[in-house]
Amino acid sequence: MEIASFGQFINWTQDCHARSKLTLFRGQPVKGNLLPSIARQNPKYDSTQLERTMLDQFRLRGVSMLPSVGTNQLELLVVAQHFGLKTRLLDWTSNPLVALYFACNESASADSYVYALASETLVARDAYEKDPFSTPRTRVFQPPMNNPRIIAQHGWFTLHRFS
């Protein structure tokens, strides 16, 4: 759907919220490619062992530089994601205006894209109790609100499985 004005965008987001109990948004300056950063270059490559190794090194080397690196692997993935490590997480927000900012912040003259995800059936309420590398399907989870960036961005994530 093409949206040509801010008013249309607000109406669209209200429609999204009316159709779903939990709508998440993702804004980006490019069309499509809703893959986590670890899978963008080669979606068929099984990166699980590489991710586990990077996460172990992040925990070992980053612990002295960070106030908190999390108590389990999923929390550590969230921290690693926000420090630029390529992970199987994809950032989303519950605030459509945050998504619009990320869609438009690189160029005001080019097309921008905001995606909506009706996610109430994808929420993993037990995400922190399970191995994030063994998820059978893509799931949605809300991270702990212990990071200023996550708080400001109304952060949520999709946790992608390798497939």
Side-chain angles (χ1 to χ4, degrees):
M1 160 182 228
E2 186 171 313
I3 297 174
S5 72
F6 185 70
Q8 284 180 332
F9 179 77
I10 295 300
N11 289 337
W12 173 73
T13 62
Q14 289 173 337
D15 289 344
C16 291
H17 283 304
R19 283 182 259 145
S20 173
K21 292 178 183 175
L22 177 61
T23 302
L24 299 178
F25 300 90
R26 177 169 174 82
Q28 55 190 47
V30 295
K31 184 176 183 179
N33 199 13
L34 294 173
L35 293 172
S37 58
I38 196 81
R40 288 184 193 146
Q41 190 171 23
N42 183 359
K44 295 183 181 190
Y45 171 69
D46 185 350
S47 60
T48 302
Q49 189 54 47
L50 173 63
E51 285 179 274
R52 286 182 186 272
T53 301
M54 286 190 322
L55 209 56
D56 287 343
Q57 287 298 305
F58 184 73
R59 178 184 292 116
L60 290 172
R61 295 173 187 246
V63 72
S64 66
M65 305 298 275
L66 301 170
S68 170
V69 292
T71 58
N72 63 42
Q73 284 195 312
L74 189 56
E75 285 184 34
L76 188 58
L77 274 173
V78 170
V79 174
Q81 169 86 1
H82 279 283
F83 278 95
L85 266 66
K86 292 184 177 188
T87 72
R88 62 184 55 220
L89 302 180
L90 187 64
D91 292 276
W92 294 80
T93 177
S94 58
N95 185 331
L97 297 177
V98 171
L100 184 61
Y101 168 80
F102 282 105
C104 298
N105 76 341
E106 288 187 20
S107 174
S109 61
D111 288 341
S112 298
Y113 302 88
V114 175
Y115 295 89
L117 175 64
S119 58
E120 66 269 5
T121 62
L122 301 174
V123 174
R125 306 231 182 268
D126 58 353
Y128 291 96
E129 299 163 18
K130 297 190 175 185
D131 177 8
F133 299 105
S134 300
T135 186
R137 64 186 179 115
T138 299
R139 304 299 304 266
V140 169
F141 72 96
Q142 186 175 27
M145 295 293 143
N146 59 4
N147 178 315
R149 291 173 71 176
I150 291 172
I151 294 167
Q153 296 171 11
H154 301 258
W156 284 74
F157 291 98
T158 44
L159 171 64
H160 294 251
R161 69 183 180 101
F162 169 75
S163 62

